[in-house]
Amino acid sequence: MPRKYGQGGGDPPYQGYYSACQSFMDPEPVDCTNCKKLERNRSSLANKLEEKENACASLEFELDNMDRKHQFENQQANNRYRTELTELRKCAQENQKQFESVMKRAREDQQKFELVMKQTRTELLRLREQLFAARKAEKRFAEAESIYHEIIDPLPPQDRGAKSNLMYEFADMLIEQKNYAQAEVVAQEALGHRKSHVKTDGQGSMEVKLSFRQLSSALFHQDSEKKQKQAMEMHRQIWENDAPHDWKAENGDRLCQIYAHQKKYDPAQRIQYEVWEERRRKCGIRHEATMNSALQRIAMLDGIMSALDKEHRCHPEKDVEKEFWKKKIIDFLREIWNSGKEAAETDAKVHDIGHRLGESLDQRMEYLKAGEIFKQVWEGRKKSLGDKDIKTLDCGHRLGEIYWKQKDYVNAGEVFEQVLQGKKESLGDTNPKTLECGHRLGEIRYQQKRYDKAMDVFSQVWIGRNSSPGDKNLHVLASGHRLGEIHLIRKEYPKAETVLSQVWNARQSNLGESHPETVESAHQLATSIYAQADSDKGKLAQGIIFSKGRWKASMPILEKSTASSSSFLGAFDNSFMYGSLLVKSGYIPDAEKVLQPLWELKVGPEAETLQLRVGHFWGICLARQNHYARAREVFESVRHRRSAASDPNLEDCLDTAKELKNVCDLIEVEEKRLKTKIPKKRVRPGVYVSRKPASRS
């Protein structure tokens, strides 16, 4: 409540004014009218005064409230400021801790970054080296050389290992480019780096040995005789001095190779034998190094044989020397094989020796011994290398060929089935080696007359030609030819024609038109067309056109070849088909020119059946020209020779007997006509005795 003056609150502020007014109004009475007026004024003033007092009290109250409010707000603001300041101090402390943590991580990241940069530089160097190796493998030598200089120039001198390795690879690329002079410089520098890099004896390091051998190669392949002698001297010094055994033998091998390259076979063969004896004495005959030396000696002897074949191919007096070296190779191979064959299950080198011995015996046609060795090597390689290894499969293939040459088709088929399955899994269905193996297996089934099995195998090989160079793979073409023959046997003539036509075209482009295999394909193609000629007039005309070309090509063969050769039989059959097709088409004069020489030829037992078929059609040709007596003689001769055959064709016999009966009937009718003077007329359908067909040009 507002405080009122006069109630214990002190004198009012206008007390003097009230006293003055009271003393002024009280002394003496005045006019009542004026008194009332004054009273009213006094009351009005008193009311105003009271209002002023109340207003002042209200103002004081508001001032007090505002003071208290400002004090409260200031207190709250101070409290809020203190709280915010405390929080800011805490935040500053946390930020300081975070800053210190970030700085610590930054230092750690910097260390990691430096490590990553170092690893990146190393990885970049490795990638560049890989890129150099890739360009080198792709034979993009200019790019590889540019990359080499980008790598080698920034390398620090202390990094001798990487530098020498890169130099070695670059020198190898230069040797591959036959830039031997520059390769010599680089290889010499690489050898120096490697010798200085190796802390122990430089001659004992494998890297030093590789660079040494590389430098020798660069020197030897230069045209300069001085450089070649320098290379030989490098190896000779190590071979003749007291070097470590392995290193000495290596240089002996290399020296032997150089002598062989220069065609100095006597010192080469002598040194190679000394190396082999040294290794056999120090390491044993079944040691890997000894076996390697043995293989190199065998390669040396093979080189001597090749040189003799090239230089003395037309000198019979050298046959004795060739036979001597062949025997020496076989004796050497047999010595190693006999000494190491008990380890044949595990020793790969012994397998290689045995394989080589089997090949030599195969060349000498000692198939029984070669088969035994190939079988042992095959079984040993299956255990040591596995069924799917290429060496195992090659050995099995050779074993199957040995059985094939011995005509042991049962064992050959079993071996080739295993080898074919392995090659399919290892090399794929369309690999040339797989296709060759499939052809061999198909041939075995064909010889066994298991035509369904053979057809399956040949079909797989023939289909595989689309994914491989089938038109140039002779085994694929041979499989296609056999597939066409099987279709002929099964009387599937349209299929046979399709396959044989493709084979014939491919063989023409690859082997030539006169090649025996091309001729055989053409003959079988003509056979397929000939078989369809009876039911298809279009095939009859096509057969005449195709057979005419084959007949012209066959004439020189019939004149020059022997009666029992395969080329003679093919030419004889081609001529027969052309003549018989002319008879079927009614071109009798043309057929006479073809069939009469064939009938008069003297042939062997192989062409007997075919000549009897020629006689059959020659008799028809004579009958259609009204030469009945001659036709009867030919038919009777054919019938007589067929009856004397061991296995005559019943259908051909019946056809000949039918034609003979028709001719005899015609002769009988002609005799009656002459006796009774009956005019000529047609005596049987299809045979006209008084009219000749027009000759085909």
Side-chain angles (χ1 to χ4, degrees):
M1 293 292 292
R3 186 180 58 178
K4 293 184 178 182
Y5 297 100
Q7 296 180 0
D11 293 333
Y14 301 101
Q15 185 66 36
Y17 175 77
Y18 290 149
S19 298
C21 290
Q22 187 69 30
S23 63
F24 178 77
M25 290 186 296
D26 286 342
E28 60 184 18
V30 292
D31 190 7
C32 293
T33 304
N34 292 331
C35 290
K36 289 181 181 180
K37 187 176 179 180
L38 290 171
E39 183 66 23
R40 284 193 301 270
N41 292 335
R42 187 184 64 81
S43 297
S44 175
L45 290 171
N47 290 334
K48 290 180 179 180
L49 181 62
E50 186 177 1
E51 289 177 358
K52 294 291 183 181
E53 290 177 352
N54 291 334
C56 289
S58 177
L59 287 173
E60 287 182 357
F61 180 76
E62 289 179 359
L63 288 172
D64 290 340
N65 286 339
M66 289 177 66
D67 289 339
R68 287 193 296 271
K69 183 177 179 182
H70 287 312
Q71 290 176 359
F72 179 75
E73 289 178 353
N74 289 335
Q75 185 67 30
Q76 284 185 338
N78 290 334
N79 293 336
R80 186 168 62 253
Y81 293 151
R82 290 190 188 96
T83 303
E84 290 178 357
L85 182 60
T86 303
E87 291 177 353
L88 287 174
R89 286 174 180 172
K90 290 181 180 180
C91 183
Q93 292 175 356
E94 292 178 357
N95 289 337
Q96 181 67 23
K97 291 180 181 179
Q98 291 179 359
F99 176 75
E100 293 175 356
S101 175
V102 167
M103 289 300 295
K104 183 179 179 180
R105 287 198 302 271
R107 287 190 292 272
E108 292 176 354
D109 291 342
Q110 185 178 3
Q111 295 176 356
K112 291 180 180 179
F113 175 75
E114 292 175 355
L115 180 61
V116 168
M117 285 298 295
K118 184 178 180 181
Q119 293 175 349
T120 302
R121 284 192 293 270
T122 305
E123 182 67 17
L124 181 60
L125 178 61
R126 186 183 65 82
L127 290 174
R128 284 183 175 179
E129 290 177 350
Q130 290 181 355
L131 182 60
F132 168 76
R135 293 294 180 266
K136 176 185 169 185
E138 295 170 359
K139 301 190 182 304
R140 297 163 66 176
F141 297 124
E143 296 180 20
E145 185 173 357
S146 176
I147 296 168
Y148 164 78
H149 290 297
E150 291 177 4
I151 300 172
I152 203 71
D153 294 338
L155 277 178
Q158 61 271 18
D159 197 358
R160 294 178 179 176
K163 199 168 187 178
S164 62
N165 292 337
L166 191 59
M167 285 180 174
Y168 175 82
E169 295 295 335
F170 182 59
D172 187 62
M173 185 187 78
L174 293 173
I175 290 174
E176 188 176 357
Q177 292 178 273
K178 299 182 179 181
N179 189 357
Y180 301 115
Q182 187 179 354
E184 177 194 351
V185 177
V186 179
Q188 185 73 48
E189 188 176 357
L191 180 61
H193 280 297
R194 285 182 168 178
K195 282 185 177 180
S196 61
H197 181 67
V198 177
K199 296 181 180 179
T200 59
D201 182 15
Q203 297 293 332
S205 169
M206 180 56 67
E207 289 80 6
V208 173
K209 291 179 182 179
L210 291 173
S211 291
F212 183 88
R213 193 178 296 114
Q214 186 184 67
L215 177 58
S216 167
S217 177
L219 289 169
F220 177 75
H221 285 93
Q222 295 185 47
D223 294 334
S224 173
E225 185 178 351
K226 181 180 178 181
K227 296 290 185 181
Q228 294 178 359
K229 288 182 178 180
Q230 185 179 347
M232 292 183 65
E233 193 61 30
M234 289 171 57
H235 294 290
R236 192 195 307 277
Q237 288 178 0
I238 298 175
W239 167 247
E240 295 178 352
N241 294 334
D242 294 332
H245 165 68
D246 293 341
W247 183 228
K248 179 179 179 180
E250 271 189 53
N251 282 271
D253 285 336
R254 181 58 181 159
L255 185 60
C256 174
Q257 293 171 7
I258 293 174
Y259 274 129
H261 182 76
Q262 294 177 339
K263 298 182 180 180
K264 298 178 181 179
Y265 295 113
D266 290 337
Q269 194 268 343
R270 176 180 53 79
I271 294 173
Q272 189 66 64
Y273 185 76
E274 291 176 4
V275 172
W276 181 72
E277 286 288 347
E278 180 74 14
R279 282 179 167 165
R280 184 174 66 168
R281 185 173 62 255
K282 293 286 184 67
C283 306
I285 194 168
R286 287 191 292 274
H287 191 271
E288 182 179 2
T290 309
M291 289 296 175
N292 286 332
S293 185
L295 292 172
Q296 289 179 6
R297 184 162 187 250
I298 293 166
M300 171 71 61
L301 296 175
D302 286 339
I304 294 174
M305 290 295 304
S306 299
L308 289 173
D309 288 337
K310 291 179 181 178
E311 296 176 5
H312 308 289
R313 187 174 299 173
C314 301
H315 295 275
E317 62 273 10
K318 293 294 181 179
D319 291 342
V320 177
E321 186 178 357
K322 294 178 186 178
E323 189 64 27
F324 166 77
W325 286 111
K326 287 180 181 179
K327 188 175 183 303
K328 195 164 187 175
I329 292 173
I330 292 176
D331 292 341
F332 183 66
L333 289 168
R334 187 177 282 115
E335 178 185 356
I336 301 173
W337 172 251
N338 292 334
S339 63
K341 64 182 180 181
E342 61 269 16
E345 293 184 358
T346 56
D347 195 340
K349 300 298 181 182
V350 175
H351 296 159
D352 296 340
I353 295 292
H355 189 92
R356 182 66 179 81
L357 178 58
E359 290 177 342
S360 298
L361 294 173
D362 183 15
Q363 292 175 0
R364 296 173 66 89
M365 289 187 272
E366 298 180 17
Y367 300 130
L368 191 60
K369 295 179 181 179
E372 293 176 358
I373 293 174
F374 276 128
K375 187 174 182 180
Q376 294 179 32
V377 175
W378 188 41
E379 295 296 335
R381 280 180 172 172
K382 283 198 291 187
K383 293 179 181 178
S384 60
L385 302 177
D387 297 345
K388 309 301 184 296
D389 186 82
I390 188 63
K391 285 189 173 182
T392 306
L393 298 173
D394 287 343
C395 186
H397 189 95
R398 293 304 297 265
L399 177 60
E401 287 183 341
I402 293 294
Y403 285 138
W404 164 267
K405 292 174 182 178
Q406 293 176 298
K407 296 186 178 181
D408 185 358
Y409 299 130
V410 176
N411 287 328
E414 293 177 358
V415 172
F416 274 118
E417 280 184 351
Q418 297 180 44
V419 174
L420 179 60
Q421 184 63 31
K423 286 188 176 181
K424 283 183 177 180
E425 296 178 8
S426 300
L427 304 176
D429 294 345
T430 59
N431 187 276
K433 291 186 176 180
T434 306
L435 298 177
E436 179 185 357
C437 186
H439 171 68
R440 293 292 188 190
L441 180 58
E443 281 287 346
I444 291 168
R445 299 297 180 234
Y446 183 85
Q447 295 298 331
Q448 292 175 315
K449 297 186 179 180
R450 298 168 62 181
Y451 297 124
D452 292 339
K453 294 286 186 181
M455 187 173 183
D456 293 339
V457 179
F458 285 137
S459 298
Q460 293 176 11
V461 176
W462 184 242
I463 291 172
R465 77 189 191 281
N466 296 325
S467 302
S468 67
D471 289 345
K472 296 182 180 179
N473 190 326
L474 300 182
H475 296 289
V476 173
L477 297 179
S479 294
H481 182 84
R482 286 298 194 196
L483 182 61
E485 288 183 340
I486 293 174
H487 283 309
L488 286 176
I489 293 171
R490 295 160 64 98
K491 297 184 179 181
E492 298 171 350
Y493 302 120
K495 294 181 180 179
E497 180 186 356
T498 302
V499 175
L500 291 169
S501 176
Q502 296 175 4
V503 174
W504 180 58
N505 291 327
R507 280 181 167 174
Q508 270 188 315
S509 59
N510 289 286
L511 302 176
E513 188 174 357
S514 60
H515 193 274
E517 293 183 4
T518 308
V519 173
E520 178 64 18
S521 295
H523 172 245
Q524 296 295 348
L525 176 59
T527 304
S528 65
I529 298 173
Y530 177 82
Q532 303 175 71
D534 291 336
S535 58
D536 189 344
K537 292 184 179 180
K539 292 295 179 183
L540 180 61
Q542 180 184 353
I544 291 175
I545 296 172
F546 185 78
S547 298
K548 184 176 181 180
R550 306 313 311 156
W551 169 65
K552 289 182 178 179
S554 299
M555 294 304 295
I557 299 175
L558 292 174
E559 294 174 359
K560 297 179 182 179
S561 301
T562 58
S564 59
S565 64
S566 59
S567 59
F568 177 86
L569 295 177
F572 195 92
D573 195 11
N574 285 329
S575 301
F576 158 70
M577 283 189 286
Y578 179 54
S580 60
L581 289 173
L582 290 173
V583 173
K584 292 180 180 181
S585 301
Y587 302 126
I588 304 302
D590 294 339
E592 181 180 2
K593 296 177 183 179
V594 178
L595 295 174
Q596 184 176 0
L598 297 179
W599 175 248
E600 294 174 354
L601 275 175
K602 293 182 179 181
V603 299
E606 298 84 358
E608 178 72 14
T609 303
L610 192 57
Q611 191 176 41
L612 294 178
R613 296 185 67 191
V614 170
H616 177 83
F617 279 93
W618 172 234
I620 295 176
C621 188
L622 291 172
R624 292 193 180 181
Q625 296 183 85
N626 302 334
H627 303 311
Y628 303 123
R630 291 178 61 192
R632 181 172 60 183
E633 291 177 3
V634 172
F635 284 132
E636 286 178 349
S637 176
V638 170
R639 186 179 64 173
H640 176 70
R641 289 166 64 179
R642 276 183 176 157
S643 61
S646 58
D647 187 18
N649 189 311
L650 182 60
E651 185 177 355
D652 290 343
C653 292
L654 292 175
D655 290 342
T656 302
K658 181 179 178 181
E659 293 295 338
L660 178 59
K661 183 178 182 303
N662 290 337
V663 168
C664 291
D665 292 342
L666 289 171
I667 291 175
E668 185 179 353
V669 170
E670 185 67 16
E671 290 176 351
K672 289 181 179 180
R673 186 187 68 78
L674 291 174
K675 289 179 180 179
T676 58
K677 297 183 180 180
I678 300 175
K680 293 183 179 181
K681 64 178 180 179
R682 192 172 73 179
V683 295
R684 70 181 177 93
V687 178
Y688 294 86
V689 297
S690 60
R691 186 179 64 179
K692 297 181 181 179
S695 176
R696 176 176 176 270
S697 58

